[in-house]
């Protein structure tokens, strides 16, 4: 199955790979993976660089490389650590150097296979190398599958500011595999839920109701989970396809992210590994933005209930020691004012009046920001 959409008259696709595209390597003369078939049809004989996140299952790496080599002998591979600390200029230029060293042209292909960090960095490299080369993406975390794999946002973090250097560049095709969904580690899998909640809140789709069926979701029931994925991706397309550059409607997809990014930066400052998953931070950010607008109303309690049912954090007690809370909350408060949505003095957030009715609003009440952090996170 495919989801097709157009951005500036250019066609883009999301391809759902069936179960028979298994990870068991078979001895065949011709490639049979959908990605290989598409590349063979549209970019025959071209050089390929494929970037893998080192955290993904080695079965995926072996399967993809084996299959691509059947039709593309000039394939280069690189394993990268997809932690947020590596979403920086060093990783960016490392990939650029590989492309230059191996004489990649504008018709060569870059494939990313990983989560949001790998997708964002590879997308930026694809956008800027020789002013653009084809990019294909295979998301391998739930957050990437239901959110960052489409929309064209590419970026690296610089000077402690998240996504401070980036542009918009859309992958030609995104491949969502049932087998990859099965292999996602449990914490990574569940961490995608807050992005599903976000889309259910701003678009009033059926995903919030579907998440009540915890058993089917956690058992990774194929039909059930892929209905949620398709619904969430269609919501995202609805909000960005006519507003790629975030002038209005697309900004609503940032629901929860003003606080979430501030939380991520505060917890991970000076750390060498990820402390909190992006999706976990988004869940906390959604609670914060609901509280700032309407205190602990019915929507707040609904979101809190869903998060708790999947053992996702609803405060920072799991991440912060009691004697460190004061310092961390101060850092989070300061980081809120670094948010890239800010146009003038005040940071902006997504105010949800009711489910299905969101708007972009400035946060002018600084004391309420502090109260929100204390009431929700501590």
């Amino acid at each position: 199955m495919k989801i097709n959409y157009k951005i500036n008259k250019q066609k883009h696709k999301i391809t759902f790979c069936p179960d028979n595209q298994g990870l068991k390597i078979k001895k065949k003369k011709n490639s049979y993976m959908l990605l290989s078939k598409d590349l063979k049809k549209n970019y025959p004989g071209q050089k390929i660089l494929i970037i893998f996140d080192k955290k993904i299952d080695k079965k995926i790496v072996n399967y993809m490389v084996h299959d691509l080599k059947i039709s593309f002998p000039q394939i280069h591979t690189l394993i990268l650590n997809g932690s947020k600390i590596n979403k920086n200029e060093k990783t960016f230029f490392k990939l650029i150097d590989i492309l230059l060293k191996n004489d990649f042209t504008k018709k060569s292909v870059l494939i990313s296979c990983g989560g949001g960090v790998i997708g964002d960095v590879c997308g930026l490299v694809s956008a800027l190398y020789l002013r653009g080369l084809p990019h294909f993406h295979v998301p391998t975390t739930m957050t990437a599958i239901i959110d960052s794999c489409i929309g064209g946002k590419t970026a690296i973090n610089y000077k402690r500011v998240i996504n401070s250097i980036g542009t918009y560049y859309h992958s030609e095709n995104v491949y969502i595999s049932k087998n990859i969904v099965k292999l996602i580690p449990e914490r990574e899998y569940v961490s995608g839920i807050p992005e599903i909640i976000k889309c259910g809140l701003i678009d009033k789709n059926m995903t919030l109701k579907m998440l009540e069926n915890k058993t089917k979701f956690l058992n990774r029931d194929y039909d059930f989970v892929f209905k949620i994925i398709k619904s969430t991706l269609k919501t995202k397309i609805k909000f960005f396809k006519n507003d790629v550059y975030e002038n209005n409607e697309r900004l609503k997809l940032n629901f929860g992210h003003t606080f979430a990014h501030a939380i991520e930066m505060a917890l991970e400052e000076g750390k060498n590994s990820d402390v909190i998953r992006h999706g976990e931070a988004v869940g906390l950010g959604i609670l914060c933005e609901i509280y700032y607008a309407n205190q602990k109303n019915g929507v707040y309690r609904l979101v809190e209930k869903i998060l708790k049912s999947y053992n996702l954090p609803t405060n920072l007690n799991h991440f912060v020691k009691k004697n460190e809370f004061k310092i961390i909350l101060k850092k989070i408060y300061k980081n809120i004012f670094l948010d890239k949505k800010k146009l003038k003095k005040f940071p902006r957030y997504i105010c949800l009046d009711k489910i299905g009715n969101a708007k972009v609003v400035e946060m002018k009440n600084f004391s309420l920001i502090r109260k929100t952090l204390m009431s929700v996170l501590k």
Side-chain angles (χ1 to χ4, degrees), residues 48-308:
I48 292 177
L49 173 61
I50 180 166
I51 309 298
F52 292 99
D53 188 330
K54 82 170 194 175
K55 291 181 286 189
I56 67 175
D57 196 296
K58 293 298 182 290
K59 294 177 185 176
I60 298 170
V61 177
N62 294 336
Y63 168 69
M64 290 184 66
V65 172
H66 173 271
D67 196 68
L68 286 165
K69 276 186 175 179
I70 295 172
S71 301
F72 297 90
Q74 295 189 82
I75 183 170
H76 303 263
T77 62
L78 180 67
I79 306 291
L80 284 179
N81 185 338
S83 297
K84 283 173 273 188
I85 194 171
N86 292 319
K87 189 179 174 180
N88 56 31
E89 70 279 10
K90 291 180 181 178
T91 304
F92 172 82
F93 283 112
K94 181 176 184 177
L95 300 188
I96 292 290
D97 286 343
I98 292 173
L99 296 174
L100 287 170
K101 181 181 177 181
N102 292 284
D103 297 320
F104 272 58
T105 71
K106 288 176 68 66
K107 289 295 182 181
S108 302
V109 178
L110 178 58
I111 303 169
S112 50
C113 185
V117 171
I118 297 295
D120 278 12
V121 177
C122 289
L124 186 60
V125 169
S126 299
L128 298 183
Y129 180 75
L130 301 181
R131 294 181 181 154
L133 80 167
H135 179 224
F136 290 75
H137 185 41
V138 183
T140 63
T141 66
M142 200 59 179
T143 303
I145 287 171
I146 53 86
D147 182 61
S148 66
C149 69
I150 61 169
K153 282 188 175 181
T154 72
I156 57 173
N157 305 333
Y158 185 66
K159 299 289 185 181
R160 289 192 60 251
V161 179
I162 291 177
N163 299 326
S164 53
I165 299 175
T167 188
Y168 299 88
Y169 193 76
H170 301 268
S171 303
E172 285 194 27
N173 204 333
V174 172
Y175 298 85
I176 295 174
S177 166
K178 175 184 177 181
N179 290 299
I180 286 177
V181 170
K182 284 182 177 179
L183 290 168
I184 297 172
E186 188 68 17
R187 186 180 177 189
E188 295 288 355
Y189 179 72
V190 175
S191 293
I193 289 172
E195 295 283 7
I196 297 171
I197 293 172
K198 174 194 77 177
C199 287
L201 292 173
I202 65 173
D203 193 34
K204 203 175 182 179
N205 62 30
M206 291 301 296
T207 54
L208 294 178
K209 188 71 177 175
M210 292 178 75
L211 284 173
E212 292 178 9
N213 196 329
K214 181 180 169 184
T215 301
K216 277 192 174 183
F217 188 86
L218 292 180
N219 287 340
R220 311 194 193 196
D221 178 279
Y222 177 81
D223 292 330
F224 181 78
V225 173
F226 274 74
K227 279 181 184 176
I228 292 180
I229 293 170
K230 284 182 276 189
S231 177
T232 304
L233 292 176
K234 285 181 177 179
T235 289
K236 184 162 186 179
I237 291 168
K238 171 184 172 180
F239 279 88
F240 79 69
K241 69 177 181 179
N242 296 318
D243 183 28
V244 172
Y245 302 109
E246 295 186 285
N247 294 312
N248 187 12
E249 282 298 293
R250 182 170 185 166
L251 284 168
K252 295 174 185 178
L253 291 168
N254 288 291
F255 184 35
H257 286 62
T258 299
F259 283 88
H261 284 157
I263 291 167
E264 287 179 277
M265 286 190 286
L267 292 183
E268 295 177 352
E269 183 180 351
K271 303 290 192 302
N272 291 320
S273 60
D274 297 344
V275 175
I276 188 170
R277 298 293 185 267
H278 175 68
E280 294 168 344
V282 169
L284 294 173
I286 289 172
L287 290 177
C288 287
E289 295 190 16
I290 294 172
Y291 185 93
Y292 181 88
N294 295 299
Q295 307 294 298
K296 291 189 177 182
N297 62 1
V299 179
Y300 183 101
R301 289 190 288 273
L302 171 64
V303 174
E304 186 179 46
K305 180 182 176 181
I306 296 172
L307 293 176
K308 285 182 176 179

